[in-house]
């Protein structure tokens, strides 16, 4: 019997912990975030047990979901050389050197579905990455994921996100 699916949806983006004193809630009023099982993914990452990654996720400008990364998440081929995909990147540029939240993204057809939209998509091994390879043991987000999404729902949410980017 396959594991239960994780829900995936969209919501207006907000800084973890709320806006800084005298700051803005988010630099763009139309910015969206991924909501995983009812909670914003950025908040889940910020609250990861034992993660010493406060500065990248608590800045006035949090990492951003970019249209190019959303398109790559729809393709099962990893976008980075180490087999990972970018989930969030620097709000000013797409340079991995600035830092990005990455994860292993893979198709899992164990639920008996087949076809391009069937099966499920799994996100696992989230990490803060600033170079060509990630070190989840050092820079990972303990307790975040793995998330197993229903393939057609996953695709629909990412297409909505891409249309809004």
């Amino acid at each position: 019997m396959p594991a239960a699916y994780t829900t995936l949806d969209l919501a207006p983006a907000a800084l973890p912990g709320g806006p800084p004193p005298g700051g803005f809630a988010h630099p763009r009023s139309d910015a969206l975030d991924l909501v995983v099982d009812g909670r914003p993914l950025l908040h889940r990452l910020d609250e990861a047990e034992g993660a010493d990654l406060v500065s990248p996720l608590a800045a006035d400008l949090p990492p951003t979901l970019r249209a190019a990364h959303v398109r790559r998440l729809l393709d099962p081929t990893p976008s980075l050389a180490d087999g990972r995909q970018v989930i969030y990147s620097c709000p000013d540029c797409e340079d991995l050197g600035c830092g990005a939240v990455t994860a292993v993204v893979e198709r899992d057809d164990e639920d008996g579905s087949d076809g391009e939209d069937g099966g499920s998509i799994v996100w696992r091994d989230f990490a803060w990455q600033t170079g060509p390879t990630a070190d989840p043991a050092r820079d990972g987000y303990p307790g975040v994921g793995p998330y197993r999404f229903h393939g057609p729902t996953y695709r629909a949410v990412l297409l909505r996100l891409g249309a809004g980017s």
Side-chain angles (χ1 to χ4, degrees), residues 107-129:
R107 180 175 295 281
D108 177 11
D109 293 321
E110 288 186 17
D111 61 2
S113 300
D114 57 4
E116 189 172 307
D117 288 336
S120 57
I121 305 296
V122 177
W123 288 7
R124 62 178 177 80
D125 301 332
F126 287 83
W128 181 254
Q129 187 167 344

Side-chain angles (χ1 to χ4, degrees), residues 3-21:
Y5 289 120
T6 302
T7 62
L8 181 66
D9 208 347
L10 301 173
L15 289 169

Side-chain angles (χ1 to χ4, degrees), residues 65-87:
L65 288 163
R66 295 186 174 277
H69 299 311
V70 170
R71 284 190 298 276
R72 290 182 198 127
L73 288 169
L74 290 165
D75 181 353
T77 307
S79 61
L80 301 176
D82 64 348
R84 303 175 70 78
Q85 296 274 36
V86 173
I87 308 294

Side-chain angles (χ1 to χ4, degrees), residues 25 44 46 59 63-64 74 85 105 110 113 123 134 136 139 147:
R44 289 177 179 275
D46 185 55
T64 300
L74 290 165
Q85 296 274 36
V105 178
E110 288 186 17
S113 300
W123 288 7
D139 298 323
Y147 300 123

